[in-house]
Amino acid sequence: MTRPTETPEYDVVVIGAGFSGLYATYRLAQAGYSVHAFEAADGVGGVWTWNNYPGARTDSLHETYQFSFDRDFASSWRYSDIHPTQPEVLDYLNTFADHFSLRDLYSFDTRVEQAAFDADAGRWNFTTDTGETARAKYFVTGLGLVSAPLFLNTPGFEKFTGRVVHTSRWPAEGIDFVGKKVAVIGTGSSGVQVAPAIVDDVAELTVFQRTPNWCPPTGHRPVSDDEHVSIVEDFDGLWSRVRQHPAGWPWNPTGRNVLDADPDERERIFEECWTRGGFSMLFETFDDVNVVKEANDLLCDFAARKVRAIVQDPAVAESLIPDHPYGAKRPPASDGYLEMFNRENVRLVDVRRTPIARYSESGIDTTEESFDFDIVVLATGFDAVTGAFTRMDIRGLGDESLADRWNAEGPKTFLGLGVHGFPNMLMVAGPQSPFSNLPPGAQAAGEWITNALKHFESEGIEAFHPAQEAQEAWNDHVQEIALGGLTAYGKDANSWAVGANIEGKPRVYNVYYAGFKAYADRCDEEAAAGYTNFVRARTAERVG
Ligand code: NAP
């Protein structure tokens, strides 16, 4: 690639201004690198900018949905609810960016179209949709796991005269649902949040469901003053629990198994955790529910009884009960989602029985029925984990396209941090890293990447990438772990973590399921051993 003379050169180019990109930008700049970052949105926030639909908030816990590296900054921040809302998370990320003066390092409203490695020069060249270009020795991605929206290819779309909106591309001015006939397609985390948030306004609501999900209550409540004080006082304990927890949350193992519990104790604990809401059923009930199918069956039996007790129409209740293990696919929490099916004006359409056939001028036709809609809400999720990479033109050694490779065989990475054949490219929350509470993972990856760059530079290394064998071994391990657990059922449940939500996408496990602790330990081990699984070269063209 020829380099336009005006192209500025940096040590590092980062893409993304969500948790992942922001922390990497901060850390690398703080380590003395010249950093420039690109972000397609008009400001800081990543997915929290785009997903501003009614009801959007995280199921993660407030006290650890932030970075911990700066104790004073962390202690000064306080979310108001135990599960922060979208505006509050956006506020946190903006406050973080301002506090650490990160904004000036970004080109906002700028989408990187191509990132190509020039092996002769040992530099990455970037082109963007605004015409801005950049060049850098290192390329760090903070693209997000669930950031490339999935729009359906439903025939007849152009005929439909109503409005169609995707939850992750919500208009800033909002949408007036009052008195409207509305469809919500999709019943994942976004669908079960948006539907109850608009149900009071609509004239009629029709929910199109493909795979039912286990959907516990949220357990939302305000964070009390006392709670905030004890979080600040127990700062070290809190973050040490996060480091030990499989999902990066501040919870200890329960130390009990449901298969050893008597029925009364089992019922009492399930009931308590169901009411507590969020991920409590998975992590605060019994330790074996996540790993032993018979234990998980007891959890499912309890949750199914809850659905039958809440939803009055027995046929609708049965349609809402999943047939996959609890946790095989991410269980989304919602208040009012199950309850709303008791309203006269709310209907559930099971598209496994009656698939969506086409849009008509006035709505949607299934294989059996025609529906009229003013507004169709696509809560259809994402081309998850890989989509943000494969929708960009990333080229490594020999001009190889990352998209071509991953579209054909699924992603293979080393520790979710690097890809063989793509020198000096490092990923935060890349494919095959754990699916866990994001901020601690993003912070750990930002640290690891910065330390790796410093290490290679201290050895006089110009270019490095994971060895092919190391990448194969990590991929084998990722697949083996997933297949050895309840996550193996994710393929049948259309889990996005297996690419199974998209027809034609390779069905491979795209996230690492042994958990945050096991992963962080493995990353530390690699660093302590001197990054021995990386091929390295003193001149970039020899790294291949
Ligand atoms: P999702 O979990 O992938 O849900 C998408 C929904 O659309 C699913 O019900 C899916 O059905 C359905 N769908 C997809 N293609 C379809 C088709 N062709 N026909 C009919 N239905 C179709 O996406 P999401 O709800 O946006 O959430 C994605 C992830 O973002 C979550 O898992 C979570 O990690 C994150 N998120 C978190 C929160 C939170 O913390 N509360 C909120 C929103 C998002 P299938 O299940 O059959 O594929």
Side-chain angles (χ1 to χ4, degrees), residues 162-281:
R163 183 168 188 184
V164 180
V165 61
H166 192 283
T167 45
S168 78
R169 291 294 180 273
W170 207 262
E173 67 280 11
I175 297 177
D176 181 8
F177 284 99
V178 175
K180 301 286 196 310
K181 291 182 180 175
V182 179
V184 170
I185 306 180
T187 59
S189 301
S190 306
V192 306
Q193 287 186 329
V194 75
I198 62 173
V199 72
D200 286 338
D201 287 345
V202 300
E204 289 173 20
L205 179 65
T206 307
V207 176
F208 291 86
Q209 168 192 277
R210 185 165 69 182
T211 311
N213 276 316
W214 296 110
C215 188
T218 62
H220 296 327
R221 59 173 178 76
V223 179
S224 69
D225 291 345
D226 287 351
E227 230 171 329
H228 181 66
V229 168
S230 62
I231 286 162
V232 172
E233 282 175 359
D234 183 33
F235 189 85
D236 294 333
L238 178 78
W239 290 100
S240 128
R241 290 194 292 285
V242 165
R243 175 65 173 72
Q244 302 302 318
H245 192 270
W249 280 322
W251 287 335
N252 290 319
T254 65
R256 56 185 177 235
N257 287 326
V258 70
L259 294 178
D260 301 331
D262 71 55
D264 286 347
E265 187 200 7
R266 184 172 78 207
E267 201 68 7
R268 181 183 60 74
I269 290 171
F270 280 162
E271 186 67 47
E272 200 180 293
C273 292
W274 177 268
T275 308
R276 201 174 298 157
F279 282 92
S280 191
M281 288 296 273

Side-chain angles (χ1 to χ4, degrees), residues 53 57-59 146 150 152 185-191 193 210-211 329-330 351 379-382 435 493-494 496 501:
Y53 58 84
R57 61 164 77 206
T58 178
D59 291 346
V146 280
L150 179 62
L152 303 185
I185 306 180
T187 59
S189 301
S190 306
Q193 287 186 329
R210 185 165 69 182
T211 311
K329 174 173 185 159
R330 186 200 191 283
V351 303
T380 44
F382 301 88
F435 181 44
N494 284 338
W496 55 252
N501 59 328

Side-chain angles (χ1 to χ4, degrees), residues 296-348:
N296 193 280
D297 287 346
L298 293 168
L299 191 73
C300 292
D301 174 65
F302 175 89
R305 279 188 276 126
K306 282 288 179 196
V307 180
R308 292 186 186 109
I310 294 167
V311 180
Q312 287 154 8
D313 181 326
V316 176
E318 291 315 307
S319 293
L320 287 164
I321 296 174
D323 54 14
H324 57 262
Y326 199 113
K329 174 173 185 159
R330 186 200 191 283
S334 173
D335 289 327
Y337 176 70
L338 296 170
E339 290 80 356
M340 109 195 156
F341 291 102
N342 294 330
R343 297 185 182 211
E344 287 290 322
N345 64 340
V346 178
R347 193 168 154 196
L348 182 71

Side-chain angles (χ1 to χ4, degrees), residues 40 54 102 108 185 230 254 260 273 310 349 357 392 425 517 520 542:
L102 300 178
F108 293 107
I185 306 180
S230 62
T254 65
D260 301 331
C273 292
I310 294 167
V349 175
M392 197 190 301
M425 179 182 99
K517 176 186 165 13
R542 299 233 178 86

